[in-house]
């Protein structure tokens, strides 16, 4: 049991997708704060709803690492080839799978915040939305 817990702790500290998700969460929160300052109002990135969503993302990744440690599952067939070329991995556990989804969601949110702050990122946001729309119709709102 001790080895199991040590293995989980080691994975949590070294797991790249968790680091990337955490970085995206911090960036989204930061740019959401800038947007809130500019608009003089709270928004989904800087407010209780956004905070709950971000904390749940990170907590769910902890539980997914535990699940992946206990159950070996490979979801590589569910990840688009374009993403696999970039990340260059051979096994996609539930942590990586949901981590990719969280990163995609946060990237859209970051670009939306940057656009709403007045930065010229609307074209990049549209390209990201176009890429993601090939795989899902559950993208964040257009506003």
């Amino acid at each position: 049991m001790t080895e199991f817990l040590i293995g989980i702790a080691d994975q949590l500290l070294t797991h790249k997708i968790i680091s990337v998700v955490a970085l995206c969460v911090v960036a989204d929160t930061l740019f959401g704060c800038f947007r809130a300052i500019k608009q003089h109002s709270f928004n989904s990135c800087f407010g209780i709803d956004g905070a709950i969503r971000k904390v749940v993302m990170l907590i769910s990744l902890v539980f997914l690492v535990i699940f992946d440690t206990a159950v070996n599952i490979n979801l590589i067939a569910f990840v688009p080839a374009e993403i696999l070329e970039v990340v260059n991995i051979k096994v996609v556990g539930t942590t990586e799978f949901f981590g990719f989804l969280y990163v995609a969601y946060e990237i859209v949110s970051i670009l939306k915040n940057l656009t709403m702050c007045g930065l010229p990122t609307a074209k990049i946001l549209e390209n990201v939305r176009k890429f993601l729309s090939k795989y899902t119709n559950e993208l964040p709102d257009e506003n």
Side-chain angles (χ1 to χ4, degrees):
M1 181 68 167
T2 304
E3 291 176 18
F4 181 74
L5 294 175
I6 291 172
I8 290 170
D10 184 49
Q11 285 187 36
L12 288 172
L13 295 173
T14 60
H15 210 291
K16 295 212 185 296
I17 195 68
I18 293 174
S19 300
V20 172
V21 171
L23 180 65
C24 288
V25 164
V26 169
D28 189 38
T29 303
L30 180 67
F31 295 128
C33 290
F34 292 148
R35 181 176 138 207
I37 291 167
K38 181 179 183 205
Q39 295 177 336
H40 303 289
S41 67
F42 290 107
N43 57 55
S44 63
C45 299
F46 181 70
I48 193 68
D49 291 341
I52 290 170
R53 179 176 43 84
K54 290 171 189 327
V55 168
V56 169
M57 273 190 225
L58 296 172
I59 290 172
S60 71
L61 289 175
V62 171
F63 286 107
L64 290 171
V65 165
I66 295 168
F67 178 78
D68 284 341
T69 303
V71 179
N72 290 327
I73 189 168
N74 192 355
L75 301 171
I76 200 162
F78 296 100
V79 179
E82 297 94 341
I83 293 174
L84 291 174
E85 289 174 15
V86 172
V87 295
N88 194 25
I89 59 175
K90 304 291 183 230
V91 176
V92 176
T94 57
T95 307
E96 290 83 10
F97 184 77
F98 282 94
F100 293 152
L101 297 174
Y102 295 159
V103 168
Y105 185 87
E106 290 297 298
I107 286 173
V108 171
S109 184
I110 290 167
L111 290 170
K112 176 182 169 184
N113 284 327
L114 291 174
T115 301
M116 295 183 85
C117 283
L119 295 169
T121 55
K123 184 71 173 166
I124 298 169
L125 177 59
E126 185 55 36
N127 287 336
V128 168
R129 281 186 189 277
K130 223 180 277 184
F131 172 77
L132 292 174
S133 69
K134 291 191 293 188
Y135 306 106
T136 183
N137 60 0
E138 296 181 17
L139 294 171
D141 62 356
E142 295 285 331
N143 304 357

